[in-house]
Amino acid sequence: MSNLIEVENLTVEFSGPSKGLFGKKGTPITAVDDVSLYIKKGEALGLVGESGSGKTTFGRALLRLQEPTSGQVKMHGQSGSKVITDLDAKSLRKAWQEMQMVFQDPQSSLNPRMTVMDSIAESLIVNGLAKNMEAAKPRVLEVAQSCGLSVDQLSRYPHAFSGGQRQRISIARALVMQPEFIICDEPVSALDVSIQAQILNLLIDQQQELDLTLLFISHDLIVVAYICDRIAVMYLGNIIEIAPTKDLFKLPLHPYTEALMSAIPSDDPDQQLMQAGISGEAIGNDATRQGCLFAPRCQYADKDKCQNVKPPLTEVNNNRLVACHYADKLTLNGFETI
Amino acid sequence: MSDDYLLKVEDLTISLDVDKASIPIVEGVNFAIKPGRVFALVGESGSGKTIVSLSILRLLGKGVRITGGKILFKDNNGKTVDILKLNPKGKDIQAIRAAQIGMIFQEPMSSFSPVHTIGNQIEEVVNLHLDLDKKQARQKCIEMLGKVGIVNPERAFDQYPFEFSGGMRQRAMIARAMICNPKLLIADEPTTALDVTIQAQILKLMKNLQNELNMANLFISHNIGVIAQIADDVAIMYMGKIVEQGPVRDILRKPQHPYTKGLLRAIPHLADIGRSRRLEPIAGSVPNLFERPNGCPFAARCSQFIENICDRGFPEKTKLSPDHSVFCYAVAQDVNGSQMQEVVA
């Protein structure tokens, strides 16, 4: 399989808090820190991390909804290869036809004053794929039905729908352009569990049927594991580990991945909570930080190397990528039974 | 259930006034919390679990009316009080709030005042309920902040909520809720807004404190994993009614109500990763409050729906064991059927 998306050294910085009302701007905060990764055609890549780890910013930077500070994003779509980060506004608009996004909160991502039909058809008309509403209608109906919406619902406004149905509308709106790549940013975290399962199934079905490539952003490791072939773990803007789902769960190589997994509350009442839990909280990332960013919370960190040298994302035993100085020496606990 | 309870809710019914109509949002809820145990209310959004918890402290907002039932609480003097008979603005309920029943809310940011220091807001509770001088009160607050795992509690006392992270704010909230050593702590989705690693820390803290102080806990959540870790007894709510309740192991391992079964099947399980990518959702969605069905509220989504029975009024309680009970016609038929067979045999 060839790569659809290639990200090279992508960095996004936000200006830091200024000192005083008229003071100088503080050191910039690094939200995404020199991230390189690829997503294969037809693959679902999961991106997990705690809030503030930069996963949403990374997703937005891929589409240039947030301009990256430096780095490159390439897309090798059916219409040829292009460097997304070099496109001008007009060609970027065109590129968006191939890459779409589903947002977390369907309440705020749908226009309350447009009917569902108008919302889904809008991008077809704006991009010149359909001349008017009449021409767009057949395609809208087709997509809406495949997303589980009935024809008579399409003339209603978003407020008449439940959260789950609104998320179906958002997915239909993304799919109507027949994109090759979809970024799903926490698409189910605002939904109840019984509805969450419906939406996850819809995403899985559509992905397989249309051979979509997905970047699935979530803080919920188990949900990501269900959907994704590979998982990338992000910590303070850095990818600290990336591996096929099963391998990652069986044997995490980074202490942070281990900690994340051990923090998942088991649904077995007799299984104790947290064996290898971590204490403390993530401290922000800026240019002044030295060494491994996870070191202050890491139970395996030493006083020398981990504090001073930042570990790069490197390959260790058979194709596993991990950013830890001791990845090949530590034996961490995952879920062996998987 | 035996008489050995701390808080007992009997036939609690709460309605929401909309225009001229009055819609029931909690109907005939019964449960009892025993001293020192963790009782969990589980349900989807809109199932009424938060409304039940707020009614215990009489904190319901305008338009939400308690229309029936009793909430019996054994107070510090050993007397049994019906909380629903108290004036929601009176002295009696104020003596119970925070002093005897503490509460932790879901959103730690919006439940602290942004213009007062953390210490100030915890001290307020102390000044209201305990007879301590200024120095002692401050000392007690700092002690409590340390107990909930805040590093450098003396500094934290003089800090404002915005200087705290979500996890620290939730710790401060726990400190505020527990400073008067209440007999019952109500925790409404205390970890939902937090990251998993912080959630694990908070759960562990709550468990430790609860054991240490032998406090009862009403825990509200929709996260089955969290429930499994913290609860002793569980009640499953659907559209304002309890549909199944019992000890946590019975509910999670031998669920009987079709809704409980569906809920447990719909969540992704660790053990299934890599085996199947499809989940088993519950079909349909929760009906609109205005379209509350006559019979069992779950009937429209239920796979075991029996025509002319399930749509004719809410089912009676079926006892499966002294503590485990379920409200379902299909289960009742099964149980009665097998009892009949036993009789015949």
Side-chain angles (χ1 to χ4, degrees):
Chain A
M1 264 196 297
S2 56
N3 296 340
L4 180 75
I5 301 286
E6 281 172 5
V7 181
E8 281 162 25
N9 308 99
L10 192 74
T11 299
V12 182
E13 285 176 352
F14 293 114
S15 56
S18 49
K19 302 229 158 69
L21 196 52
F22 303 105
K24 272 188 189 166
K25 276 196 176 156
T27 29
I29 292 158
T30 318
V32 178
D33 190 355
D34 198 18
V35 169
S36 301
L37 56 79
Y38 63 88
I39 308 173
K40 285 187 253 177
K41 271 200 176 102
E43 180 185 49
L45 176 73
L47 185 60
V48 296
E50 293 177 274
S51 50
S53 62
K55 17 183 227 309
T56 296
T57 308
F58 177 76
R60 293 175 65 92
L62 290 191
L63 294 188
R64 283 178 62 193
L65 296 175
Q66 168 70 50
E67 283 296 334
T69 313
S70 63
Q72 262 194 346
V73 178
K74 289 182 202 156
M75 175 160 175
H76 308 288
Q78 273 161 2
S79 61
S81 299
K82 48 185 154 290
V83 182
I84 301 291
T85 36
D86 290 348
L87 297 177
D88 57 39
K90 206 176 161 196
S91 4
L92 180 63
R93 208 161 241 289
K94 207 154 175 23
W96 280 343
Q97 295 180 18
E98 293 161 16
M99 42 210 311
Q100 289 283 324
M101 191 150 179
V102 175
F103 298 92
Q104 171 172 1
D105 182 7
Q107 169 87 47
S108 55
S109 58
L110 290 169
N111 188 336
R113 300 176 70 166
M114 281 167 88
T115 64
V116 172
M117 178 66 126
D118 291 340
S119 269
I120 302 177
E122 188 187 20
S123 48
L124 286 175
I125 296 169
V126 166
N127 285 299
L129 297 181
K131 266 207 184 115
N132 50 32
M133 209 54 206
E134 267 322 289
K137 210 169 176 182
R139 171 73 191 143
V140 174
L141 290 182
E142 185 192 330
V143 172
Q145 269 165 349
S146 73
C147 290
L149 296 163
S150 64
V151 180
D152 56 313
Q153 286 176 323
L154 294 179
S155 53
R156 297 194 201 161
Y157 289 87
H159 72 85
F161 293 85
S162 66
Q165 283 173 315
R166 279 193 208 127
Q167 205 55 296
R168 286 177 192 275
I169 300 167
S170 301
I171 293 171
R173 186 178 57 176
L175 288 175
V176 76
M177 300 294 293
Q178 295 181 296
E180 291 174 61
F181 178 50
I182 294 188
I183 299 176
C184 301
D185 187 4
E186 305 261 15
V188 296
S189 42
L191 305 177
D192 276 318
V193 272
S194 73
I195 309 300
Q196 175 177 314
Q198 294 175 8
I199 299 300
L200 287 176
N201 279 349
L202 172 66
L203 279 171
I204 292 168
D205 292 344
Q206 296 290 342
Q207 193 228 344
Q208 279 170 350
E209 205 167 299
L210 306 171
D211 198 27
L212 287 171
T213 307
L214 283 187
L215 176 66
F216 193 95
I217 300 172
S218 178
H219 67 282
D220 190 332
L221 254 179
I222 307 188
V223 165
V224 169
Y226 256 71
I227 294 261
C228 298
D229 308 298
R230 278 191 311 145
I231 297 180
V233 184
M234 207 164 192
Y235 189 75
L236 290 178
N238 288 262
I239 303 281
I240 51 112
E241 183 166 6
I242 186 163
T245 302
K246 264 193 162 182
D247 297 355
L248 189 82
F249 271 81
K250 268 198 173 133
L251 181 69
L253 291 181
H254 196 285
Y256 178 62
T257 319
E258 181 193 42
L260 265 189
M261 285 182 187
S262 68
I264 302 173
S266 160
D267 42 27
D268 179 357
D270 289 323
Q271 207 165 322
Q272 273 296 307
L273 189 67
M274 303 233 282
Q275 308 303 328
I278 43 171
S279 54
E281 295 171 17
I283 312 159
N285 180 15
D286 59 38
T288 60
R289 288 287 300 273
Q290 274 187 340
C292 174
L293 291 169
F294 185 60
R297 298 172 80 189
C298 181
Q299 54 174 333
Y300 309 103
D302 66 14
K303 289 221 164 61
D304 176 33
K305 210 172 173 188
C306 293
Q307 306 293 344
N308 297 313
V309 186
K310 188 172 169 181
L313 192 63
T314 42
E315 198 173 316
V316 288
N317 32 353
N318 33 353
N319 297 324
R320 295 280 300 266
L321 284 168
V322 57
C324 174
H325 292 303
Y326 294 103
D328 46 354
K329 295 195 187 79
L330 294 172
T331 335
L332 304 178
N333 293 314
F335 299 96
E336 279 156 28
T337 48
I338 286 167
Chain B
M1 268 180 219
S2 65
D3 232 24
D4 155 44
Y5 64 85
L6 176 67
L7 182 99
K8 191 147 111 185
V9 173
E10 283 180 359
D11 277 323
L12 180 66
T13 302
I14 301 172
S15 300
L16 177 69
D17 292 334
V18 186
D19 293 335
K20 277 171 196 158
S22 169
I23 310 163
I25 44 176
V26 170
E27 265 189 322
V29 163
N30 284 291
F31 63 85
I33 304 174
K34 292 175 197 166
R37 304 260 293 180
V38 180
F39 185 90
L41 276 179
V42 183
E44 296 181 86
S45 44
S47 61
K49 43 192 200 314
T50 298
I51 293 288
V52 169
S53 72
L54 290 176
S55 71
I56 294 173
L57 287 177
R58 301 297 302 275
L59 291 172
L60 293 174
K62 255 194 187 155
V64 185
R65 254 182 327 120
I66 298 170
T67 44
K70 279 182 190 162
I71 297 179
L72 302 175
F73 176 66
K74 285 191 181 153
D75 73 2
N76 280 351
N77 308 325
K79 272 199 306 195
T80 304
V81 197
D82 183 357
I83 292 179
L84 295 188
K85 292 224 173 84
L86 302 178
N87 174 3
K89 287 178 182 157
K91 278 215 163 102
D92 294 336
I93 186 74
Q94 271 170 20
I96 291 177
R97 280 183 200 145
Q100 302 185 43
I101 304 179
M103 181 144 189
I104 303 172
F105 300 92
Q106 173 173 358
E107 227 324 307
M109 188 68 215
S110 51
S111 40
F112 272 113
S113 155
V115 295
H116 295 95
T117 61
I118 293 279
N120 218 311
Q121 297 183 54
I122 300 177
E123 218 174 13
E124 190 185 357
V125 183
V126 178
N127 291 338
L128 261 176
H129 297 291
L130 303 176
D131 196 19
L132 295 176
D133 66 35
K134 215 165 177 306
K135 215 172 161 193
Q136 283 171 320
R138 188 188 161 96
Q139 201 47 45
K140 188 165 173 73
C141 293
I142 289 171
E143 224 169 78
M144 197 67 213
L145 283 170
K147 214 175 199 171
V148 296
I150 286 177
V151 196
N152 202 345
E154 294 202 15
R155 207 180 115 219
F157 186 91
D158 294 317
Q159 279 179 315
Y160 288 89
F162 76 88
E163 295 174 272
F164 275 31
S165 67
M168 270 168 74
R169 266 183 231 134
Q170 204 56 293
R171 283 174 196 271
M173 177 113 80
I174 294 175
R176 183 171 68 174
M178 306 212 352
I179 191 131
C180 292
N181 212 346
K183 293 199 314 197
L184 175 68
L185 180 69
I186 301 174
D188 185 2
E189 307 251 16
T191 62
T192 309
L194 306 175
D195 281 315
V196 272
T197 54
I198 312 297
Q199 166 173 290
Q201 292 170 13
I202 297 287
L203 285 180
K204 213 174 179 184
L205 168 72
M206 287 186 68
K207 230 174 168 173
N208 289 344
L209 286 173
Q210 198 233 335
N211 286 338
E212 197 184 312
L213 305 171
N214 191 33
M215 181 180 61
N217 195 337
L218 173 63
F219 197 96
I220 294 167
S221 182
H222 65 274
N223 185 328
I224 302 291
V226 169
I227 295 297
Q229 291 300 322
I230 200 145
D232 299 310
D233 304 295
V234 179
I236 310 279
M237 281 189 84
Y238 188 78
M239 286 196 82
K241 285 179 182 284
I242 289 181
V243 294
E244 181 165 7
Q245 79 184 100
V248 65
R249 286 175 183 75
D250 287 357
I251 299 284
L252 295 187
R253 291 189 187 142
K254 292 177 281 178
Q256 293 301 317
H257 196 280
Y259 176 63
T260 318
K261 285 184 192 168
L263 204 58
L264 292 176
R265 267 201 302 264
I267 53 170
H269 291 281
L270 256 179
D272 295 334
I273 289 168
R275 292 210 180 94
S276 150
R277 286 184 65 195
R278 283 192 69 89
L279 291 155
E280 275 185 64
I282 303 176
S285 56
V286 184
N288 191 314
L289 278 176
F290 296 94
E291 294 156 13
R292 173 181 283 276
N294 272 333
C296 171
F298 189 60
R301 302 172 78 187
C302 185
S303 57
Q304 286 167 267
F305 176 73
I306 312 165
E307 228 184 306
N308 288 334
I309 293 181
C310 291
D311 41 10
R312 297 263 170 98
F314 192 71
E316 293 284 308
K317 185 180 195 170
T318 308
K319 276 205 167 195
L320 301 158
S321 74
D323 293 330
H324 188 180
S325 50
V326 60
F327 298 83
C328 175
Y329 288 113
V331 176
Q333 276 192 352
D334 278 1
V335 172
N336 293 339
S338 57
Q339 274 171 359
M340 294 276 263
Q341 275 168 8
E342 272 168 38
V343 174
V344 172

